[in-house]
Amino acid sequence: MDDEENAFELLQRYRRDRRVLLNFILSANLVKKVVMPPGAVSLDDVDLDQVSIDYVLNCAKKGEMLELSDAIRAYHDGIGFPSMNNAGSAGEFFLVTSPEPSGSPPRRAPPPVPVYTPSPIVSNSHLSKSQSFQSTQLQELTVDDIEDFEDDDDDDEEEVNSLRVSRRNPYNASDIVLGLPPFATGVSDDDLRETAYEVLLASVGASGGLIVPSKEKKKDKKSRLLRKLARSKSDNVVPQSQRSPGLAGLLETMRIQLEISESMDVRTRQGLVNALVGKAGKRMDTLLVPLELLHCISRTEFSDKKAYVRWQKRQLNMLEEGLVNYPVVGFGESGRKASDLRILLTKIEESESLPPSTAELQRTECLRSLREIAVPLAERPARGDLTGEVCHWADGYHVNVKLYEKLLFSVFDILDEGKLTEEVEEILELLKSTWRILGITETIHYTCYAWVLFRQFVVTGEQGLLKLVIGQLKKIPLREQRGPQERLHLKSLHSKVEGEGGFQEWTFLQSFLLPIQKWADKQLGDYHLHFAESSVRMEEIVTVAMVTRTLLLEDSDVAMQAYVRDQDQIESYISSSVKHAFARAVEVTAATVQEHSLALLAEETKKLLKKESTIYMPILSQWDPQATVVSASLLHKLYGNKLKPFVDGVEHLTEDVVSVFPAADNLEHCVLALIASTNGEENLDAYCKQKLTLYQIETISGTVVMRWVNSQLGRILGWVERAYQQERWDPISAQQRHGSSIVEVFRIVEETVDQFFALKVPMRYGELSCLFRGIDNAFQVYVNHVTDKLVSKEDLIPPVPVLTRYKRESGIKAFVKKDVIDPRLPDVRRSSQINVLSTPKLCVLLNTLYYAISQLNRLEDSIWERWTKKRPRDNFSTKGSVDDKMRSSVQKDAFDGSRKDINAAIDRICEFTGTKVIFWDFREQFIDNLYKPSVSQSRLESLIEPLDVVLNQLCDVIVEPLRDRIVTALLQASLDGLLRVILDGGPSRVFFPSDAKFMEEDLDILKEFFISGGDGLPRGAVENLVARARHVIKFHGCETRVLIDDLKSASGLDVQGNGSKLGADTQTLLRILCHRSDSEASQFLKKQYKIPKSAA
């Protein structure tokens, strides 16, 4: 409500200003002729609020006659359009501010405009002339007002010359106030401003620079007024003041800056000059200025009594404040004089209510008595000066700094209060002349100037002022830089200020700098809110806060290292602002329903963290290197407090868990990355153990995921059993020559893997390792089922016949029968099991296993690729080396068990297939009948065609990568069969040395068959395989005596016993001799080895 009333009063003042100016233009012969509208006799009958000022000025410029009715019509016609400058084409208009340099929009809403309906042209003469300007009704000017204006008197002249009042934005600066007590007499800011100007004039007059202006000033009023009206705030650079050169022009600028009317200026100057009459050798700055002005300026110099009474009241109040309430020198025994002085001041003020004759007499007597008391009080020596050297009426603390503050405010441009006037350096130099009267020192000046600049920054928001503030703060001398006299003087400056905890005693620096520090602390206490857009401004505010803090700490004798103090202060800013920002984020996310609030809060916290690290921390880190770590740790803790109740209640994977856990884990990793970037990765683990309570998301999530994985692995094993039981080992198609069961197994495994990675919750290598082990076990189970169908090799190969010699000997038949009869034939069930596994089905088995191992590699690569994407940030870890060891072991042994089992199964099935073809399918042709009854009658060549059929059958079904392996197994089985025939062929087979030639030819036929002119197995591989058989055949071509001698030598029967000369083992030589159709061999075997005779 108060704000609305203030805005309404301000609007009324704007309108009064407008009426005053219009009235002046219309009454001062600026317009050739003014024609009243119908029904109006004088200007009192015209509502000037409805007259177009542009129309009036245009007529004045052109020297044309002014029809007020046309001006009123122009006002109503243009009320809905922008203001026109009337200087160019009718399509031109100007903005109040330039759009480019005017900066961001105003932070405050404009004052509300009261609803006002223009009335028709009627006379307003019925309004009372005595109505106050504070009235909510519109008020007209009286004839006396116009006369006062023309005579350059106070109030209305001030309205004209001080356009600053009408153009100033009423910013609220109530949140930054000097730490000084109020004046007991109620001295206002206007009183201080006017008195400050009087001090300035007295100081200038001390050097002889004070000149009383002549009445010719009035002649220049019209041109000055128009220049002021033409001046726009839209100018980016403050134009050079159009003033007189030298000190006179500077004083004129100061008068305008301090809003002093010309009449007041003339009266004061004349009064000060008159005060020096009869005081030869007296300096003007040693005068008791208020008292001298009271003596030298009379009531007759004012146009109305109210202005005089107000002026006199101000002078009396300043005497009381400067001599009694805040004197430089204490009263001591002069305490009674202070009481007498107050009585005299009261009597002078009361004299105005007496009859004129009595009032003048009482005032004269009181002024004489006042001089007798006040002058001795003011001239008492202080700070080492001599009596009469300085007049101590305005240098008592805190009157002096309040007056000096008003003088310093004159450095700001009258139309753009956020900028300094061009004469700022001259003004500051001029203000130094007041230091003698006001008792200002260098420290006091820099402190006051810094305060004035900072307060103006707060009021206007002009960022350029901040750099000036910092410059002035840094110029304030520290204690050791001040002289001893100044140190003592500043130490004596104290004031009692009422605060929250009662009255507090503040030093000079505290009174001026504590408000700055508190304002800066308040802003920095929530820098996320106040500096959301401008980091440059924040950096300067931090500098202001820290420099101010240093000055205050040094002033209060706090023994603490500056670095530690700065660090603590910065951390308090971070703590306060982060908590405020986080609280706002909690409030925003709590209202959402689409997603869990903790997941959204994690994202908002992450945004805060990013904003902290990129915008704010580079600034704060200049004062505290650990600022980033403190900020990140605090955000981690704040979110952790919100997350903990949720984490404690997690038991199974739910939608909320899948939503919250990844967001929380991602936030934590961002925090850790930020800390690592500041402290170094090598120090991260130690910091986390000491300062952070980690969320343990991966641990809790890992437990839940492990439960899920185990349940899925059980499901996979069930599907493996089911798929195997339904398998018939037929190729899926001509292109897909593997069984369907392995495809089904991979399908269920890949579904499980997809579901695993679809879980967006954080995981460790432990969960991945569990998945790998489970899949590995499932494939091992599958391979075991495949190999379980195979019978043992012993069931395929017929038993080896008992060794016999060629020559008949009938005396030991019983012995032969006992040793020879051992058929070991497989039973019917086993034979059926062998026959079911046909060669094509065995090839499908091999193809299936090969498909499994090739797809297993692809599956493993896919899992690792997806895991890498899921865990892109493994550069640092707080889990230590345990996680790294787990990772390396998983990478090394992922599917190692399955691969070994599959490769072993492929080798076993290949061997089984070759053995089955030769020893089971070809048993009759190969094992039983080859080389029977003689080598020449039953050659190996007869088996090549059946072998070719089998080989074609194998190659038609087997996949290309396994072709050589299965063919090699068939070759190996063929060679094993051949060796079985020529070494363990049984009693019915006998060989002659001449048979070796045929055997050699058969071996070459077999070799070339498998080489197949280069389309089969590699020749080198085949040669290596047939090498043993070739050696054995070579031994068959040796004479019996050579074989016997070599056997004796190899077995040690010979005395010399040098071993086999042929390079054969004893068993091979023995078996060759057993199959030799030779009586010498038979006798040797009977005598040496007791081998029975053949029954054939």
Side-chain angles (χ1 to χ4, degrees), residues 767-786:
E767 289 77 71
L768 182 65
S769 176
C770 179
L771 180 68
F772 272 127
R773 287 197 304 270
I775 296 174
D776 192 44
N777 178 64
F779 282 108
Q780 290 181 52
V781 169
Y782 180 83
V783 172
N784 290 336
H785 281 308
V786 171

Side-chain angles (χ1 to χ4, degrees), residues 450-522:
W451 154 258
V452 166
L453 290 168
F454 189 79
R455 185 182 182 280
Q456 200 71 1
F457 157 73
V458 174
V459 170
T460 63
E462 181 63 44
Q463 187 167 330
L465 294 175
L466 273 178
K467 291 183 179 179
L468 299 175
V469 172
I470 295 171
Q472 294 303 311
L473 287 173
K474 289 182 177 180
K475 287 181 181 179
I476 298 175
L478 297 176
R479 182 178 302 174
E480 62 272 10
Q481 296 170 337
R482 303 169 196 154
Q485 187 174 353
E486 187 179 21
R487 283 203 296 268
L488 289 174
H489 176 55
L490 291 176
K491 192 174 182 180
S492 67
L493 303 183
H494 290 275
S495 60
K496 285 188 177 181
V497 181
E498 188 175 4
E500 296 178 358
F503 282 94
Q504 299 175 341
E505 189 154 323
W506 284 5
T507 64
F508 164 73
L509 285 178
Q510 286 174 336
S511 295
F512 278 81
L513 299 184
L514 273 178
I516 296 177
Q517 186 193 36
K518 288 180 179 180
W519 188 92
D521 287 351
K522 182 179 178 181

Side-chain angles (χ1 to χ4, degrees), residues 198-453:
E198 293 170 355
V199 170
L200 178 64
L201 292 179
S203 302
V204 172
S207 60
L210 188 62
I211 302 172
V212 179
S214 65
K215 297 297 181 178
E216 297 300 322
K217 270 182 137 184
K218 291 185 179 180
K219 295 181 180 179
D220 191 41
K221 180 179 292 186
K222 297 178 184 179
S223 60
R224 282 193 296 106
L225 178 62
L226 292 176
R227 284 200 302 270
K228 289 180 181 179
L229 289 173
R231 183 176 176 183
S232 171
K233 190 177 176 179
S234 62
D235 298 333
N236 294 322
V237 181
V238 180
Q240 180 67 36
S241 300
Q242 298 181 4
R243 61 175 175 85
S244 304
L247 181 59
L250 187 58
L251 281 177
E252 176 66 10
T253 299
M254 288 295 296
R255 182 190 68 77
I256 296 172
Q257 293 289 94
L258 290 173
E259 304 179 48
I260 305 298
S261 66
E262 290 187 5
S263 58
M264 175 72 78
D265 178 37
V266 172
R267 279 196 300 267
T268 305
R269 293 184 187 223
Q270 189 64 56
L272 290 173
V273 170
N274 293 339
L276 283 177
V277 175
K279 297 184 177 68
K282 188 80 170 177
R283 290 167 53 94
M284 192 175 288
D285 58 358
T286 60
L287 295 176
L288 185 50
V289 173
L291 180 61
E292 298 297 342
L293 292 179
L294 285 171
H295 273 285
C296 297
I297 299 177
S298 65
R299 161 70 179 86
T300 57
E301 296 186 43
F302 290 84
S303 59
D304 69 82
K305 184 177 181 181
K306 286 183 180 179
Y308 173 74
V309 170
R310 188 167 58 247
W311 174 84
Q312 178 178 264
K313 176 67 173 175
R314 172 172 65 82
Q315 303 295 349
L316 297 175
N317 287 342
M318 291 310 302
L319 282 173
E320 183 175 351
E321 295 292 352
L323 296 178
V324 180
N325 295 339
Y326 300 101
V328 172
V329 184
F331 288 103
E333 296 180 356
S334 305
R336 186 179 61 83
K337 291 184 179 180
S339 178
D340 293 343
L341 190 142
R342 281 198 177 97
I343 293 172
L344 290 171
L345 295 176
T346 304
K347 286 185 176 181
I348 294 173
E349 188 175 352
E350 291 175 350
S351 66
E352 296 302 325
S353 60
L354 299 176
S357 57
T358 308
E360 186 61 30
L361 180 61
Q362 180 172 324
R363 182 176 182 277
T364 303
E365 290 295 330
C366 289
L367 283 176
R368 185 173 59 253
S369 301
L370 183 61
R371 180 182 293 278
E372 293 174 356
I373 297 175
V375 171
L377 287 175
E379 292 183 351
R380 287 176 299 165
R383 297 191 301 273
D385 55 0
L386 301 176
T387 302
E389 182 182 355
V390 177
C391 184
H392 302 294
W393 68 273
D395 53 352
Y397 184 73
H398 60 91
V399 174
N400 59 343
V401 294
K402 292 293 286 184
L403 291 171
Y404 195 62
E405 178 196 22
K406 296 304 175 187
L407 289 172
L408 287 172
F409 271 117
S410 64
V411 300
F412 301 108
D413 180 50
I414 196 170
L415 293 180
D416 190 351
E417 295 180 329
K419 291 183 171 60
L420 298 177
T421 183
E422 282 193 351
E423 300 89 348
V424 58
E425 296 299 331
E426 298 175 67
I427 291 175
L428 291 175
E429 191 63 32
L430 179 63
L431 295 186
K432 286 185 179 181
S433 64
T434 65
W435 287 16
R436 178 184 178 88
I437 295 179
L438 298 176
I440 302 299
T441 65
E442 190 177 59
T443 300
I444 294 175
H445 164 73
Y446 288 132
T447 306
C448 289
Y449 193 30
W451 154 258
V452 166
L453 290 168

Side-chain angles (χ1 to χ4, degrees), residues 481-746:
Q481 296 170 337
R482 303 169 196 154
Q485 187 174 353
E486 187 179 21
R487 283 203 296 268
L488 289 174
H489 176 55
L490 291 176
K491 192 174 182 180
S492 67
L493 303 183
H494 290 275
S495 60
K496 285 188 177 181
V497 181
E498 188 175 4
E500 296 178 358
F503 282 94
Q504 299 175 341
E505 189 154 323
W506 284 5
T507 64
F508 164 73
L509 285 178
Q510 286 174 336
S511 295
F512 278 81
L513 299 184
L514 273 178
I516 296 177
Q517 186 193 36
K518 288 180 179 180
W519 188 92
D521 287 351
K522 182 179 178 181
Q523 299 287 307
L524 295 172
D526 195 356
Y527 52 76
H528 289 87
L529 178 65
H530 296 115
F531 305 104
E533 298 178 357
S534 175
S535 59
V536 176
R537 181 178 175 185
M538 175 182 170
E539 183 174 5
E540 293 175 344
I541 292 293
V542 172
T543 304
V544 168
M546 301 312 291
V547 173
T548 304
R549 177 179 173 79
T550 302
L551 291 168
L552 289 171
L553 286 172
E554 196 250 1
D555 184 58
S556 58
D557 297 323
V558 177
M560 187 185 299
Q561 293 183 4
Y563 176 80
V564 176
R565 292 196 301 270
D566 292 347
Q567 187 180 37
D568 292 342
Q569 185 62 40
I570 294 297
E571 290 181 5
S572 72
Y573 293 151
I574 294 172
S575 176
S576 174
S577 186
V578 166
K579 286 177 181 177
H580 280 101
F582 185 79
R584 287 191 291 270
V586 171
E587 187 176 348
V588 169
T589 56
T592 58
V593 292
Q594 290 102 351
E595 193 174 351
H596 198 284
S597 60
L598 283 174
L600 293 175
L601 182 59
E603 291 302 318
E604 289 298 317
T605 307
K606 188 178 174 183
K607 291 178 184 177
L608 271 179
L609 187 68
K610 183 178 180 181
K611 200 171 184 180
E612 281 280 288
S613 61
T614 56
I615 298 178
Y616 303 122
M617 291 308 105
I619 297 171
L620 298 179
S621 295
Q622 298 175 22
W623 302 91
D624 180 7
Q626 289 293 304
T628 301
V629 175
V630 172
S631 171
S633 301
L634 180 57
L635 280 171
H636 182 273
K637 179 181 178 181
L638 292 173
Y639 182 77
N641 293 338
K642 296 290 183 181
L643 180 67
K644 190 175 187 305
F646 176 82
V647 171
D648 292 343
V650 170
E651 293 183 359
H652 304 286
L653 278 176
T654 63
E655 289 185 5
D656 287 345
V657 171
V658 173
S659 173
V660 173
F661 272 21
D665 185 63
N666 187 263
L667 171 63
E668 185 169 64
H669 276 83
C670 290
V671 169
L672 295 179
L674 203 55
I675 294 174
S677 67
T678 303
N679 288 352
E681 292 183 14
E682 64 278 4
N683 301 319
L684 181 62
D685 287 347
Y687 181 84
C688 291
K689 291 176 183 178
Q690 296 174 4
K691 300 292 180 70
L692 287 184
T693 302
L694 297 178
Y695 300 155
Q696 302 295 332
I697 293 292
E698 286 189 351
T699 302
I700 299 166
S701 173
T703 303
V704 177
V705 171
M706 196 76 80
R707 293 174 189 164
W708 180 87
V709 169
N710 289 332
S711 67
Q712 293 300 308
L713 293 177
R715 177 169 163 263
I716 289 176
L717 289 176
W719 275 95
V720 168
E721 296 286 345
R722 177 183 174 185
Y724 179 78
Q725 290 171 4
Q726 295 176 349
E727 181 62 79
R728 295 295 176 264
W729 301 114
D730 295 322
I732 296 176
S733 65
Q735 290 75 30
Q736 297 178 319
R737 289 171 280 179
H738 48 267
S740 59
S741 59
I742 192 65
V743 177
E744 186 65 17
V745 170
F746 267 102

